[in-house]
Amino acid sequence: MTDRSILSRPGPEPDQMPRYGPHPDQVADRWLAPETGRPLVFLIHGGFWRPRYDRTHTRLMAAALRERGWPVVSAEYRREPGNPDVSTSDIRQALDALRGEEPGIVLAGHSAGGHLALLAASTCPPPDLLGTVALAPVADLVAAAEANLGNGAVAEFLGGAPRADLDPVRLPDPVGATILVHGTEDTSVPPAQSRSYVDAHPAADLALLPDMAHFELIDPDSAAWPDVLAALTRAGTPAPRPD
């Protein structure tokens, strides 16, 4: 049985909650870290783009990253069924408004947030983007719709058939390193989603975690956590400059 406890376990309050627009959902949690020289993790939560799931279930993850020296912005965004453009617009606006003084950005997202992270990395990458880590992402909207993932979540999100301009598997390669992490036992978003993405984007890397399901990837108490940290470290390491 899938362990969904991370969705309800309370996490600590963030250091700041900056706004990036007037809508109630145009807000973020900011987690400040000591001066470690690490890039900012811009974290996008999942929940099949549905309004009932918000960023609060990422607070344990964000706090654990801060303990490791990573500054984190966990962005909320509008989740309006049938109106996907407000979600993508909010992520773009948040990326523009919430960057700090950190040396670069790592985009990270889980599930539907992984979809939005891969989408942003391809379509509106911030100028200081170092890399992207997609955790169990919905990376192929056509296949996800055909498989009826989340009981019709894709059609509900889009308000109709999949759109190529919103489908990461059908978009150009993202800027920077791209790493997908997926549990082999994930039944919410099967690992075929990530395999489809790396087939279309051979430069991307895929880490398949044996015996891991869906929510372990955002749970700092799980056995998947060291692999998540390793992926973030790789994505956040600047590529060597050519001689």
Side-chain angles (χ1 to χ4, degrees):
M1 181 178 294
T2 300
D3 181 3
R4 300 170 61 90
S5 64
I6 193 67
L7 296 178
S8 56
R9 280 156 43 201
E13 291 291 313
D15 296 310
Q16 300 172 354
M17 284 195 288
R19 302 202 58 82
Y20 63 91
H23 190 278
D25 285 336
Q26 292 176 317
V27 66
D29 292 345
R30 186 185 292 277
W31 306 83
L32 305 175
E35 294 293 334
T36 59
R38 289 191 183 274
L40 174 71
V41 175
F42 187 95
L43 181 61
I44 309 173
H45 72 81
F48 279 129
W49 311 279
R50 287 174 169 140
R52 65 180 177 271
Y53 299 107
D54 65 19
R55 71 193 185 283
T56 57
H57 73 264
T58 66
R59 286 181 173 174
L60 285 170
M61 178 182 182
L65 289 173
R66 177 182 59 183
E67 290 175 5
R68 293 277 185 160
W70 294 87
V72 181
V73 164
S74 181
E76 196 54 85
Y77 53 95
R78 285 173 286 176
R79 301 162 314 286
E80 299 178 3
N83 192 7
D85 293 319
V86 298
S87 299
T88 59
S89 174
D90 280 357
I91 296 302
R92 183 180 298 108
Q93 190 170 338
L95 278 168
D96 287 341
L98 300 177
R99 291 202 300 270
E101 301 299 322
E102 296 86 3
I105 291 177
V106 175
L107 270 169
H110 175 245
S111 194
H115 160 263
L116 292 170
L118 291 170
L119 186 66
S122 289
T123 62
C124 60
D128 50 355
L129 179 64
L130 297 173
T132 303
V133 175
L135 306 171
V138 184
D140 185 336
L141 294 185
V142 172
E146 290 174 349
N148 196 37
L149 295 190
N151 295 318
V154 173
E156 182 182 326
F157 169 58
L158 297 173
R163 287 168 38 183
D165 65 313
L166 296 180
D167 200 347
V169 78
R170 289 163 179 83
L171 291 171
D173 285 346
V175 170
T178 305
I179 303 169
L180 286 72
V181 184
H182 222 121
T184 61
E185 304 308 307
D186 192 335
T187 57
S188 299
V189 179
Q193 283 282 306
S194 285
R195 292 193 184 100
S196 178
Y197 185 87
V198 297
D199 285 345
H201 299 279
D205 290 332
L206 172 58
L208 289 172
L209 306 187
D211 303 320
M212 294 293 108
H214 191 63
F215 295 102
E216 287 91 336
L217 304 188
I218 58 170
D219 186 346
D221 292 332
S222 80
W225 189 240
D227 294 282
V228 173
L229 292 174
L232 289 168
T233 299
R234 286 179 55 203
T237 301
R241 295 182 178 179
D243 295 333

